[in-house]
Amino acid sequence: MALTAHFSCLPDTAELAPRWQALEGASDASFFVGWTWTGSWLESYGVRPDLLTVTDEEGKDVALALIGHAMQPRLLGRCATLSLNQSGDPAADRPYVEYNGLLTATGREGRAAQAFHAALLRRADWRALRVSGIAPNSPLLSLSLRRATRLDRSPVYQVDLDAVRAAAGDYLSLLSANTRSQIRRAIKDHGGMPNIAAAQSAPEAESWLEDMRVLNEGRHDDNAWADPAFRRFVAILVERGRVTGEVELLRFTDDGGTVGLLVNFIHRGQAMNYQSAFAAPRTPKDKPGLLCHAAAVAHYADRHLGLYSLLAGKDRYKQSLATREEALEWWQIERFSPRLEAEALLRRLAKRPASA
């Protein structure tokens, strides 16, 4: 059955939400292209990307995506760039989509990507396509455009919770001697593993998120929590996901008070850590972050989830906690244009030294 793709103006979210959620129910797509993430992003940042729709012969939705359009800076000038499930504005794209792609009905991924490709070629207002946080085996990376450039590749460090259960819950036995030592020292400093509680109401979640903002003050040069728009996004995301069971806001405490907080996604048998905030170490060798993640591993292993993912990032602490890893990639794909190719050739010829 032939598929057709087209771009349109973004409809009102009240109209888009049921379409998106219906297709999500027929899809194996990631949390990051589901409606909880997508709807929260649209509401909190007020962005207006185009809507990509892929339909079958009966007009039924087979794939959906958001397509941003912006003039991106390049070495030789600004370039008309499309962005998959992003706006193209760095401020609005700060939530950092991962496991990106089209929201596609299960089993239709390859043909939907081909229909998307055909629609791209019919569209004349772009030169490059940015695809962020995509799996290396995504069918979108087979699009036969002019040139594909990988901008970045990041590990996704994970904990295999089946392996934790196979070790009778002894997660530390799966880690290096150095990491085991650091976590055991933190357990001793805190008088045992911390208690875990999940936010149960909107006021409680609001209060805990404010605590996360305070704990993150001054911790990073580029602190997302200092951005009101990002905080609004996380607040909307947590509240929507708390109601649906897709997001947990966890607080870790001991007799001395708060040890840390985590915002985690729960999706298709996996837990994914998205945001964190930790109290200051109580001793020079205290590691509250490692302690909270170790407690979260035990928490999700007991709930019989399959993986605890630390999501993309090259941080050393993520590697030290992991028992396995995969990768995500960031790509820029450029289209073929006879006019642009001719202009590029002329630029190259103008730079060549004159012959003797």
Side-chain angles (χ1 to χ4, degrees):
M1 186 177 292
L3 302 183
T4 303
H6 69 276
F7 301 98
S8 62
C9 294
L10 188 72
D12 184 84
T13 54
E15 175 187 342
L16 181 60
R19 289 178 59 193
W20 203 282
Q21 290 168 319
L23 184 56
E24 185 179 357
S27 171
D28 294 327
S30 79
F31 174 82
F32 290 88
V33 295
W35 185 250
T36 297
W37 174 277
T38 303
S40 299
W41 180 62
L42 290 173
E43 179 178 340
S44 57
Y45 284 95
V47 290
R48 300 290 299 174
D50 292 341
L51 176 67
L52 167 74
T53 304
V54 181
T55 57
D56 61 19
E57 291 178 342
E58 299 175 352
K60 183 178 179 180
D61 290 336
V62 173
L64 295 169
L66 303 178
I67 306 295
H69 185 287
M71 298 299 294
Q72 298 280 2
R74 294 278 292 274
L75 185 61
L76 297 176
R78 287 152 61 85
C79 173
T81 304
L82 304 181
S83 298
L84 178 63
N85 294 316
Q86 292 186 298
S87 69
D89 174 6
D93 295 337
R94 186 153 203 171
Y96 297 129
V97 64
E98 299 185 27
Y99 291 96
N100 200 0
L102 309 182
L103 175 64
T104 310
T106 302
R108 312 295 288 275
E109 293 84 2
R111 294 181 65 190
Q114 293 172 5
F116 175 39
H117 177 226
L120 283 172
L121 294 181
R122 293 193 299 269
R123 183 169 174 161
D125 63 343
W126 67 281
R127 171 74 188 276
L129 169 67
R130 287 278 184 110
V131 184
S132 299
I134 195 166
N137 62 350
S138 170
L140 294 177
L141 295 179
S142 64
L143 300 182
S144 56
L145 298 172
R146 175 176 175 263
R147 181 175 64 239
T149 303
R150 192 174 74 190
L151 305 175
D152 196 12
R153 179 181 173 91
S154 173
V156 178
Y157 292 114
Q158 303 167 329
V159 180
D160 183 342
L161 299 180
D162 289 330
V164 174
R165 287 187 287 270
D170 188 3
Y171 165 52
L172 299 189
S173 69
L174 306 177
L175 305 179
S176 70
N178 182 53
T179 303
R180 285 199 303 272
S181 175
Q182 291 184 68
I183 295 176
R184 284 172 178 161
R185 179 58 184 263
I187 292 172
K188 181 179 179 181
D189 288 341
H190 290 265
M193 292 293 280
N195 301 310
I196 304 177
Q200 298 297 315
S201 66
E204 187 171 50
E206 182 180 358
S207 174
W208 292 9
L209 289 174
E210 173 60 15
D211 290 343
M212 293 188 77
R213 182 194 68 79
V214 172
L215 288 173
N216 276 300
E217 280 184 343
R219 295 290 180 90
H220 313 284
D221 291 336
D222 184 24
N223 179 15
W225 288 87
D227 177 10
F230 179 79
R231 296 199 303 271
R232 183 170 60 250
F233 165 74
V234 174
I236 294 172
L237 182 68
V238 165
E239 184 55 23
R240 288 188 176 191
R242 187 186 64 79
V243 172
T244 64
E246 296 171 282
V247 181
E248 283 191 334
L249 173 55
L250 299 181
R251 189 181 197 110
F252 300 79
T253 61
D254 62 13
D255 291 342
T258 297
V259 181
L261 299 107
L262 300 177
V263 174
N264 293 337
F265 304 149
I266 313 297
H267 186 72
R268 303 191 188 281
Q270 297 184 20
M272 296 167 280
N273 174 236
Y274 179 61
Q275 291 292 316
S276 61
F278 306 112
R282 297 179 183 176
T283 69
K285 294 187 177 181
D286 184 22
K287 301 289 184 180
L290 295 184
L291 181 62
C292 289
H293 284 299
V297 166
H299 173 68
Y300 291 120
D302 287 345
R303 288 171 54 179
H304 294 279
L305 272 65
L307 282 177
Y308 179 63
S309 174
L310 297 161
L311 293 176
K314 303 170 185 177
D315 309 79
R316 184 178 180 83
Y317 84 88
K318 293 187 178 187
Q319 184 177 17
S320 69
L321 289 165
T323 64
R324 52 166 284 176
E325 68 177 90
E326 54 190 29
L328 292 176
E329 297 178 342
W330 281 251
W331 286 83
Q332 180 161 287
I333 305 171
E334 299 191 36
R335 75 181 302 166
F336 176 81
S337 164
R339 179 182 65 80
L340 293 174
E341 291 296 309
E343 291 176 355
L345 176 60
L346 290 173
R347 285 196 298 269
R348 289 195 297 270
L349 290 173
K351 293 179 180 179
R352 291 177 59 180
S355 57

